[in-house]
């Protein structure tokens, strides 16, 4: 018996999937009990590609793949909502399992694909849509079913993390750090999705649906990029022992999902503090197990291929769509969060319920805010981690 695969896209990810299947054929056969074979590859420009094997059909026409009778699984390694969602819908309607690495498409169309898959009794794998090589989807699906996940904080975009790391370590301006990321292939020619938080938002939306059974409403999401952060900002807060990170946060409280993607300041006692360069990390807080952190490469040929192959192994298992989203007493409590109030005008803008804790530098205060508040002004920056050190430190000039 053979599991036959059609591969949509033959760029970095597509090539990684093909090579991984070839190089690990023996292990995959032991796990699945069947040979795994790529029988067809869809490319946009057929003149730029060569079939990796004479037995593989290379085509730029999806209809040719759809007409094949021997395809069991379709793997989506292309970008953009269309034509990817149309291709996967037609594959599902033909009774084929699908696996995707397309985060934008899946964040937008996951409900439609899942409903269709249920109707046709096939599976949808999407591990590769969030944090590349970190097995966060399977961890949440298989290992945390007894837990109620109360909060998730994640560095979900390697490009923005790389830029902030280089700005701090090498004293680069934002523009120079971005140029370096582009030179190394970490950032696209148009980096908007990465540096303005769209990419991280897509991933947070996918996690939210898995954990809580619903996505955050886009109009209620606080999304702020990193392009306004200056070299002097980085240096100043580094001297205070804090590091800038671009963090996506999701939690379920007061009967709805809260989601934010924004720059925050991270204390050295928080798991995200040591996550540098293009690494991704996800910090989970749950009611039974407590805190769990996973860290690893968020993108690249083989990390993404690894996630896709793991989905291939789990495809025929019964899928649980999400864990718990019921209210608890904890959800109804007001939680205090710590912030930096930064700049001469900051104290004039303190919201109701804010308490000034300590001045730690000229025109810089630690404040605590109780309740469900969102501060979008540039002079307020949330702090992640235990702030005891900041509250006890002597004022610096």
């Amino acid at each position: 018996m053979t599991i036959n695969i059609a591969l949509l896209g033959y760029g970095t990810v597509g090539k990684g999937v093909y090579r991984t299947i070839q190089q690990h054929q023996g292990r995959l056969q032991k796990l699945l009990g069947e040979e795994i074979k790529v029988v067809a590859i869809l490319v946009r420009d057929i003149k730029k590609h060569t079939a990796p094997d004479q037995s593989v059909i290379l085509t730029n026409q999806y209809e040719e793949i759809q007409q094949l009778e021997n395809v069991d699984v379709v793997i989506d390694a292309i970008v953009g909502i269309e034509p990817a969602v149309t291709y996967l819908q037609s594959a599902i309607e033909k009774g084929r399992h699908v696996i995707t690495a397309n985060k934008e498409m899946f964040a937008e169309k996951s409900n439609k694909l899942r409903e269709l898959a249920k109707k046709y009794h096939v599976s949808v794998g999407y591990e590769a849509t969030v944090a590349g090589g970190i097995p966060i989807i399977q961890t949440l699906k298989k290992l945390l079913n007894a837990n109620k996940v109360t909060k998730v904080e994640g560095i979900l975009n390697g490009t923005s993390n790389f830029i902030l790391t280089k700005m701090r370590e090498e004293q680069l301006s934002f523009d120079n750090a971005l140029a370096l990321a582009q030179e190394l292939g970490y950032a696209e020619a148009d980096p908007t999705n990465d540096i303005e938080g769209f990419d991280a938002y897509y991933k947070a939306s996918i996690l939210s649906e898995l954990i809580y059974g619903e996505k955050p409403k886009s109009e209620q999401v606080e999304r702020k990029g990193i392009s306004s952060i200056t070299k002097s900002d980085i240096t100043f807060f580094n001297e205070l022992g804090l590091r800038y990170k671009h963090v996506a946060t999701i939690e379920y409280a007061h009967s709805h999902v809260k989601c934010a993607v924004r720059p925050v300041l991270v204390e050295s006692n928080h798991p995200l503090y040591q996550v540098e360069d293009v690494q991704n990390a996800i910090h989970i807080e749950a009611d039974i197990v407590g805190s769990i952190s996973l860290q690893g490469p968020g993108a690249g040929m083989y990390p993404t291929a690894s996630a896709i192959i793991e989905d291939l192994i789990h495809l025929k298992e019964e899928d649980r769509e999400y864990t718990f989203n019921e209210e608890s007493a904890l959800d109804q409590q007001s939680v205090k969060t710590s912030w930096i109030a930064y700049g001469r005008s900051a104290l004039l803008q303190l919201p109701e319920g804010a308490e000034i804790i300590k001045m730690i530098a000229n025109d810089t205060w630690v404040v605590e805010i109780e309740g469900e508040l969102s501060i979008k002004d540039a002079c307020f920056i949330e702090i992640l981690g235990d702030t005891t050190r900041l509250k006890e430190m002597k004022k610096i000039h």
Side-chain angles (χ1 to χ4, degrees):
M1 294 290 291
T2 304
I3 298 175
N4 291 322
I5 294 171
L7 189 55
L8 311 184
Y10 201 53
T12 299
V13 173
K15 287 184 173 68
V17 170
Y18 182 85
R19 292 173 188 173
T20 301
I21 289 172
Q22 298 304 110
Q23 294 167 3
H24 298 276
Q25 186 65 225
R27 187 184 308 171
L28 292 173
Q29 285 190 40
K30 286 182 180 179
L31 288 168
L32 293 168
E34 299 175 85
E35 180 185 359
I36 311 298
K37 186 177 181 182
V38 175
V39 296
I41 298 174
L42 179 72
V43 295
R44 180 182 297 176
D45 187 347
I46 202 164
K47 295 178 182 178
K48 293 183 178 180
H49 298 274
T50 303
D53 186 274
Q54 289 185 347
S55 65
V56 178
I57 297 170
L58 184 72
T59 179
N60 60 357
Q61 300 296 318
Y62 179 74
E63 292 75 15
E64 189 174 350
I65 289 176
Q66 187 68 352
Q67 289 169 7
L68 295 174
E69 295 299 327
N70 63 335
V71 174
D72 304 298
V73 182
V74 173
I75 295 177
D76 165 29
I78 57 181
V79 296
I81 295 175
E82 288 290 359
V85 69
T86 298
Y87 292 165
L88 294 189
Q89 284 177 202
S90 62
I92 290 170
E93 288 168 353
K94 197 147 185 176
R96 294 163 176 173
H97 301 288
V98 299
I99 299 172
T100 182
N102 189 332
K103 50 192 171 287
E104 181 181 5
M105 181 277 297
F106 198 72
E108 180 74 21
K109 302 294 184 180
S110 59
N111 288 339
K112 179 182 288 188
L113 292 176
R114 281 204 182 100
E115 289 173 7
L116 202 60
K118 187 179 294 186
K119 177 180 178 181
Y120 287 92
H121 306 290
V122 295
S123 298
V124 178
Y126 58 99
E127 181 73 71
T129 61
V130 180
I134 302 175
I136 183 61
I137 304 299
Q138 289 298 334
T139 297
L140 291 167
K141 277 185 176 181
K142 308 297 182 185
L143 302 181
L144 291 179
N145 284 318
N147 281 263
K148 182 181 190 302
V149 177
T150 56
K151 190 174 187 178
V152 176
E153 297 166 335
I155 295 173
L156 301 179
N157 183 269
T159 301
S160 60
N161 200 48
F162 175 85
I163 290 170
L164 292 175
T165 300
K166 293 305 175 185
M167 288 178 72
R168 190 188 74 251
E169 289 183 344
E170 300 182 18
Q171 296 291 294
L172 298 180
S173 67
F174 172 82
D175 289 339
N176 288 340
L178 172 58
L180 178 61
Q182 290 171 322
E183 180 183 334
L184 295 174
Y186 299 144
E188 301 290 339
D190 179 359
T192 303
N193 270 4
D194 295 325
I195 64 174
E196 297 301 337
F198 291 99
D199 177 78
Y201 164 65
Y202 299 145
K203 297 169 182 176
S205 180
I206 292 167
L207 288 177
S208 175
E209 186 177 32
L210 172 65
I211 298 167
Y212 302 122
E214 63 182 86
K215 298 174 185 176
K217 293 181 173 61
S218 58
E219 66 274 12
Q220 296 177 356
V221 173
E222 181 182 344
R223 181 190 51 76
K224 183 178 180 181
I226 63 170
S227 56
S228 63
I229 298 174
T230 66
K231 181 169 62 174
S232 60
D233 291 335
I234 297 274
T235 301
F236 176 74
F237 287 114
N238 191 46
E239 290 174 355
L240 293 173
L242 300 167
R243 289 181 179 175
Y244 261 113
K245 299 292 180 184
H246 201 207
V247 173
T249 304
I250 52 172
E251 56 187 321
Y252 191 87
H254 305 285
S255 301
H256 72 280
V257 176
K258 292 171 56 182
C259 177
V261 180
R262 62 190 176 198
V264 300
L265 293 169
V266 182
E267 268 280 16
S268 60
N269 51 50
H270 193 282
L272 298 184
Y273 183 84
Q274 299 290 351
V275 182
E276 301 283 60
D277 292 315
V278 293
Q279 291 280 294
N280 282 196
I282 300 171
H283 178 65
I284 303 165
E285 296 177 10
D287 61 346
I288 303 174
V289 73
S291 297
I292 295 174
S293 296
L294 295 89
Q295 179 177 345
M301 176 180 284
Y302 290 111
T304 307
S306 170
I308 289 171
I309 298 304
E310 290 293 342
D311 269 341
L312 184 63
I313 292 168
H314 293 292
L315 265 186
K316 296 183 181 180
E317 297 178 5
E318 184 178 351
D319 187 25
R320 183 186 179 113
E321 292 186 0
Y322 57 86
T323 54
F324 303 111
N325 68 340
E326 73 271 17
E327 294 283 0
S328 70
L330 179 65
D331 293 324
Q332 306 303 333
Q333 297 174 2
S334 292
V335 178
K336 287 186 176 181
T337 54
S338 296
W339 299 70
I340 289 286
Y342 177 45
R344 290 180 179 245
S345 65
L347 295 189
L348 299 176
Q349 302 178 51
L350 281 178
E352 184 179 349
E355 178 184 1
I356 300 171
I357 303 299
K358 187 180 182 71
M359 175 183 276
I360 56 176
N362 290 337
D363 299 324
T364 307
W365 300 264
V366 177
V367 300
E368 288 186 346
I369 299 172
E370 185 173 350
E372 188 176 350
L373 297 173
S374 175
I375 298 179
K376 299 183 180 181
D377 194 282
C379 60
F380 293 96
I381 314 167
E382 189 173 7
I383 309 168
L384 302 187
D386 186 340
T387 57
T388 302
R389 178 191 65 84
L390 282 176
K391 296 173 184 177
E392 295 177 349
M393 73 182 292
K394 293 181 179 180
K395 178 186 172 185
I396 67 170
H397 298 277

